[in-house]
Amino acid sequence: MELGLSYVLKSVVALIVIILAANYGLKYLNTFMTKRNQVIKVIERTPISKSSALSIVEIADTYYLMSFTDTRNEILRELTAEEKEKITASIDETKSIVPVKSKKLHSEKKAVQAFKTLQSQYQSFYEKRK
């Protein structure tokens, strides 16, 4: 009886050691697999329907409004320099620590308003295509 219990206990300990070793090994290998300088970044993604989403994507320092669906991904338009400035300003403001909550809320409202404007333009564009 004791022999069977010790065998099960040793097996469980060995299994835990193997799982931990695999976990740390995968984390170590992941440092080599991930690129430090990403060329393509999804800035913001908003679902439009069950199978489609609207995103702002930065590709090599150029911002695009993109549509993502189950069957197709397309660039709708390149964002202007003014729109790019608004987006980068809102990103910088959200990254920095703002001591007053009202300033942070104001910057978030600006970013949300800019994104909603782009979203409404996309929806009208989508309606025209039908």
Side-chain angles (χ1 to χ4, degrees), residues 39 58-64 84:
V39 178
E58 179 186 5
I59 303 173
D61 294 330
T62 306
Y63 285 71
Y64 297 97
K84 180 181 176 181

PDB file of all heavy atoms in Angstrom, residues 39 58-64 84:
ATOM      1  N   VAL A  39       6.455  46.478 -36.802  1.00  0.00           N
ATOM      2  CA  VAL A  39       6.158  47.368 -37.913  1.00  0.00           C
ATOM      3  C   VAL A  39       4.654  47.590 -38.014  1.00  0.00           C
ATOM      4  O   VAL A  39       4.206  48.668 -38.362  1.00  0.00           O
ATOM      5  CB  VAL A  39       6.712  46.785 -39.240  1.00  0.00           C
ATOM      6  CG1 VAL A  39       6.378  47.674 -40.408  1.00  0.00           C
ATOM      7  CG2 VAL A  39       8.216  46.596 -39.132  1.00  0.00           C
ATOM      8  N   GLU A  58      -1.422  51.021 -37.460  1.00  0.00           N
ATOM      9  CA  GLU A  58      -0.214  51.749 -37.835  1.00  0.00           C
ATOM     10  C   GLU A  58       0.710  50.786 -38.554  1.00  0.00           C
ATOM     11  O   GLU A  58       1.101  49.746 -38.021  1.00  0.00           O
ATOM     12  CB  GLU A  58       0.491  52.309 -36.596  1.00  0.00           C
ATOM     13  CG  GLU A  58       1.756  53.053 -36.925  1.00  0.00           C
ATOM     14  CD  GLU A  58       2.521  53.482 -35.683  1.00  0.00           C
ATOM     15  OE1 GLU A  58       2.124  53.115 -34.567  1.00  0.00           O
ATOM     16  OE2 GLU A  58       3.534  54.172 -35.849  1.00  0.00           O
ATOM     17  N   ILE A  59       1.035  51.123 -39.794  1.00  0.00           N
ATOM     18  CA  ILE A  59       1.947  50.312 -40.591  1.00  0.00           C
ATOM     19  C   ILE A  59       3.085  51.226 -41.039  1.00  0.00           C
ATOM     20  O   ILE A  59       2.869  52.136 -41.844  1.00  0.00           O
ATOM     21  CB  ILE A  59       1.249  49.685 -41.815  1.00  0.00           C
ATOM     22  CG1 ILE A  59       0.063  48.839 -41.368  1.00  0.00           C
ATOM     23  CG2 ILE A  59       2.237  48.863 -42.635  1.00  0.00           C
ATOM     24  CD1 ILE A  59      -0.793  48.322 -42.493  1.00  0.00           C
ATOM     25  N   ALA A  60       4.266  51.009 -40.514  1.00  0.00           N
ATOM     26  CA  ALA A  60       5.457  51.784 -40.869  1.00  0.00           C
ATOM     27  C   ALA A  60       5.197  53.284 -40.758  1.00  0.00           C
ATOM     28  O   ALA A  60       5.381  54.037 -41.711  1.00  0.00           O
ATOM     29  CB  ALA A  60       5.943  51.402 -42.260  1.00  0.00           C
ATOM     30  N   ASP A  61       4.737  53.727 -39.600  1.00  0.00           N
ATOM     31  CA  ASP A  61       4.481  55.140 -39.282  1.00  0.00           C
ATOM     32  C   ASP A  61       3.377  55.773 -40.119  1.00  0.00           C
ATOM     33  O   ASP A  61       3.286  56.990 -40.215  1.00  0.00           O
ATOM     34  CB  ASP A  61       5.766  55.968 -39.411  1.00  0.00           C
ATOM     35  CG  ASP A  61       6.802  55.564 -38.380  1.00  0.00           C
ATOM     36  OD1 ASP A  61       6.388  55.132 -37.278  1.00  0.00           O
ATOM     37  OD2 ASP A  61       8.008  55.678 -38.661  1.00  0.00           O
ATOM     38  N   THR A  62       2.546  54.983 -40.755  1.00  0.00           N
ATOM     39  CA  THR A  62       1.386  55.483 -41.491  1.00  0.00           C
ATOM     40  C   THR A  62       0.153  54.837 -40.890  1.00  0.00           C
ATOM     41  O   THR A  62       0.124  53.636 -40.662  1.00  0.00           O
ATOM     42  CB  THR A  62       1.484  55.122 -42.991  1.00  0.00           C
ATOM     43  OG1 THR A  62       2.730  55.583 -43.492  1.00  0.00           O
ATOM     44  CG2 THR A  62       0.368  55.756 -43.771  1.00  0.00           C
ATOM     45  N   TYR A  63      -0.870  55.650 -40.641  1.00  0.00           N
ATOM     46  CA  TYR A  63      -2.086  55.159 -40.016  1.00  0.00           C
ATOM     47  C   TYR A  63      -3.147  54.897 -41.082  1.00  0.00           C
ATOM     48  O   TYR A  63      -3.325  55.703 -41.997  1.00  0.00           O
ATOM     49  CB  TYR A  63      -2.620  56.177 -39.003  1.00  0.00           C
ATOM     50  CG  TYR A  63      -1.827  56.211 -37.721  1.00  0.00           C
ATOM     51  CD1 TYR A  63      -0.545  56.739 -37.676  1.00  0.00           C
ATOM     52  CD2 TYR A  63      -2.360  55.714 -36.549  1.00  0.00           C
ATOM     53  CE1 TYR A  63       0.175  56.770 -36.498  1.00  0.00           C
ATOM     54  CE2 TYR A  63      -1.649  55.735 -35.362  1.00  0.00           C
ATOM     55  CZ  TYR A  63      -0.378  56.269 -35.357  1.00  0.00           C
ATOM     56  OH  TYR A  63       0.339  56.290 -34.193  1.00  0.00           O
ATOM     57  N   TYR A  64      -3.840  53.769 -40.927  1.00  0.00           N
ATOM     58  CA  TYR A  64      -4.888  53.375 -41.865  1.00  0.00           C
ATOM     59  C   TYR A  64      -6.160  53.023 -41.100  1.00  0.00           C
ATOM     60  O   TYR A  64      -6.098  52.509 -39.986  1.00  0.00           O
ATOM     61  CB  TYR A  64      -4.469  52.146 -42.675  1.00  0.00           C
ATOM     62  CG  TYR A  64      -3.271  52.375 -43.559  1.00  0.00           C
ATOM     63  CD1 TYR A  64      -2.002  52.003 -43.146  1.00  0.00           C
ATOM     64  CD2 TYR A  64      -3.418  52.970 -44.803  1.00  0.00           C
ATOM     65  CE1 TYR A  64      -0.903  52.212 -43.953  1.00  0.00           C
ATOM     66  CE2 TYR A  64      -2.318  53.180 -45.621  1.00  0.00           C
ATOM     67  CZ  TYR A  64      -1.061  52.806 -45.185  1.00  0.00           C
ATOM     68  OH  TYR A  64       0.021  53.013 -45.989  1.00  0.00           O
ATOM     69  N   LYS A  84      -3.853  61.684 -37.730  1.00  0.00           N
ATOM     70  CA  LYS A  84      -2.734  60.964 -37.120  1.00  0.00           C
ATOM     71  C   LYS A  84      -2.251  61.693 -35.866  1.00  0.00           C
ATOM     72  O   LYS A  84      -1.978  61.062 -34.843  1.00  0.00           O
ATOM     73  CB  LYS A  84      -1.594  60.825 -38.124  1.00  0.00           C
ATOM     74  CG  LYS A  84      -0.384  60.102 -37.581  1.00  0.00           C
ATOM     75  CD  LYS A  84       0.704  60.016 -38.610  1.00  0.00           C
ATOM     76  CE  LYS A  84       1.942  59.380 -38.006  1.00  0.00           C
ATOM     77  NZ  LYS A  84       3.044  59.281 -38.949  1.00  0.00           N
TER      78      LYS A  84
END
